[in-house]
Amino acid sequence: MPNMQDVESTLVVNPLEDINKLKALASEPRIQMLDLLRKKRLNINEISDALKLPQSTVATHISILENAGLIVTESVKAKKGNQKLCHPAFREMLIQFPEEPNPSNEFIEVEMPIGIFTDCKVSTPCGLCSTEHIIGFLDFPDSFLNPERMKAGLLWCGTGTFEYKFPNNALSSQKKVTKVEVVLELSSETPGTNLNWPSDITMWINKKEIGTWVSPGDFGDKRGKFTPQWWKLEGSQYGLLKHWSVTQEGSFIDGTKISNVTLDDLRLSEHHSIRMKIGVKENAEHIGGMNIFGKGYGNYDQGIVFRTYF
């Protein structure tokens, strides 16, 4: 049985190589089972009752999902003997054809520590911490002015925004910019944790709103791969790694179009720096807060990565 500390948040399925995973997904009952299991761990009897299917049929489908690596099962003690509890191996699944290497697809990458924001406006609950300790005081917005913020590996707020200033590498090349991309690990934020706690997280680039992603929850079901041991297990542990990008065709999150804002709208040639702002609006439909995970926290040991493609 896989160690759940090692389970990735996102599964990227290569349809040219992972045909068994696609076959496992090509079944309405198995999709219904995955939908059930993402909400709660269940045994075969409970799945059978929920879907009104024979236990033998459910057991066969569970075996297919397990062999494809899409669910994890574990044997636990029951009133009589043992029972098999099932839960998903991944929180998200992305089907993506591999990209052919393209030497002309050059990019310049800058990684920004999450604590080096140039502006912030936050509401409680809020706070920040390094890999060693909490910086300042919890739920005290002035703590974000503390010089130690440069060491921050985790930031959180109820509503509000953080703004970062990146060098405009478009000005250093004669080549045409084809895409800008921001990659960072995010989740919702609530006191304690709640896997089902949606939050509308919005990004702006050069003061242009490029779109909103709905975070599904505040993840605290297991410790993040890099989250330090001193950080309370009842707190936010990890997020999902999201890729925000803008091209001449529009703006995207993980390849899914979210708005019609294009590179031309960002007016890159008019700015010596590129300003990226991210946060939760006070009038958002889902006001579920935001966690930003940086180095030393979460499942991805990185700050905020900004790439300029040529």
Side-chain angles (χ1 to χ4, degrees):
M1 184 185 72
N3 185 334
M4 285 307 293
Q5 290 290 344
D6 296 329
V7 172
E8 296 287 349
S9 294
T10 302
L11 170 65
V12 180
V13 178
N14 178 351
L16 301 180
E17 297 179 357
D18 300 326
I19 192 67
N20 287 337
K21 289 182 172 59
L22 291 181
K23 287 180 178 179
L25 291 169
S27 161
E28 185 175 355
R30 291 197 284 274
I31 292 295
Q32 292 173 338
M33 291 176 193
L34 287 171
D35 184 43
L36 279 175
L37 296 176
R38 71 185 179 87
K39 303 166 186 172
K40 183 181 180 182
R41 299 184 181 206
L42 299 172
N43 61 34
I44 289 177
N45 290 345
E46 291 168 331
I47 297 172
S48 173
D49 291 341
L51 297 181
K52 303 295 188 292
L53 291 173
Q55 291 182 17
S56 58
T57 300
V58 171
T60 299
H61 284 305
I62 289 296
S63 178
I64 292 172
L65 290 170
E66 186 175 15
N67 290 335
L70 299 179
I71 66 167
V72 177
T73 62
E74 54 184 313
S75 182
V76 299
K77 288 185 178 181
K79 290 182 179 179
K80 295 182 179 179
N82 293 329
Q83 63 175 341
K84 181 184 283 189
L85 281 182
C86 312
H87 54 89
F90 301 91
R91 296 203 171 280
E92 294 184 329
M93 298 182 195
L94 176 65
I95 298 175
Q96 180 175 303
F97 285 94
E99 292 187 8
E100 292 294 328
N102 184 357
S104 66
N105 193 21
E106 302 173 2
F107 65 86
I108 299 176
E109 178 178 295
V110 177
E111 182 175 345
M112 184 75 68
I114 66 171
I116 306 184
F117 45 81
T118 54
D119 188 30
C120 76
K121 297 176 182 177
V122 299
S123 68
T124 57
C126 64
L128 69 167
C129 52
S130 68
T131 55
E132 299 174 348
H133 56 77
I134 292 171
I135 297 172
F137 302 96
L138 294 178
D139 298 332
F140 187 60
D142 283 353
S143 293
F144 289 89
L145 300 175
N146 191 313
E148 274 199 87
R149 66 185 175 86
M150 291 186 290
K151 300 178 182 179
L154 177 62
L155 308 173
W156 67 93
C157 66
T159 61
T161 58
F162 295 92
E163 184 173 87
Y164 299 83
K165 188 181 291 187
F166 291 86
N168 186 355
N169 289 310
L171 301 179
S172 65
S173 174
Q174 299 298 317
K175 297 181 180 179
K176 181 180 180 181
V177 176
T178 58
K179 179 172 73 171
V180 294
E181 180 180 44
V182 183
V183 184
L184 70 169
E185 186 175 355
L186 298 165
S187 79
S188 309
E189 160 59 23
T190 185
T193 64
N194 190 333
L195 294 176
N196 298 302
W197 188 259
S199 185
D200 295 345
I201 299 177
T202 301
M203 181 177 288
W204 296 258
I205 296 180
N206 285 349
K207 299 184 178 181
K208 191 73 177 181
E209 182 177 326
I210 68 168
T212 297
W213 169 63
V214 182
S215 169
D218 183 353
F219 306 115
D221 54 322
K222 60 181 182 293
R223 188 171 297 281
K225 285 184 178 180
F226 300 98
T227 301
Q229 290 297 316
W230 70 267
W231 180 245
K232 59 186 185 300
L233 192 56
E234 296 79 13
S236 307
Q237 293 294 320
Y238 63 92
L240 301 178
L241 193 69
K242 309 308 294 182
H243 295 70
W244 306 66
S245 62
V246 183
T247 70
Q248 290 294 15
E249 286 71 47
S251 297
F252 303 82
I253 294 180
D254 297 334
T256 300
K257 192 170 185 178
I258 54 172
S259 78
N260 292 320
V261 175
T262 67
L263 284 172
D264 289 342
D265 296 317
L266 303 185
R267 301 181 179 276
L268 297 179
S269 63
E270 300 177 13
H271 302 275
H272 290 288
S273 62
I274 297 176
R275 294 187 175 188
M276 186 281 289
K277 184 168 69 173
I278 190 161
V280 179
K281 299 178 182 178
E282 293 182 355
N283 62 348
E285 180 179 355
H286 304 102
I287 302 178
M290 177 179 68
N291 281 282
I292 303 178
F293 297 84
K295 277 189 171 294
Y297 281 83
N299 285 343
Y300 304 90
D301 195 27
Q302 66 168 64
I304 301 173
V305 174
F306 191 98
R307 299 189 184 110
T308 306
Y309 289 80
F310 301 95

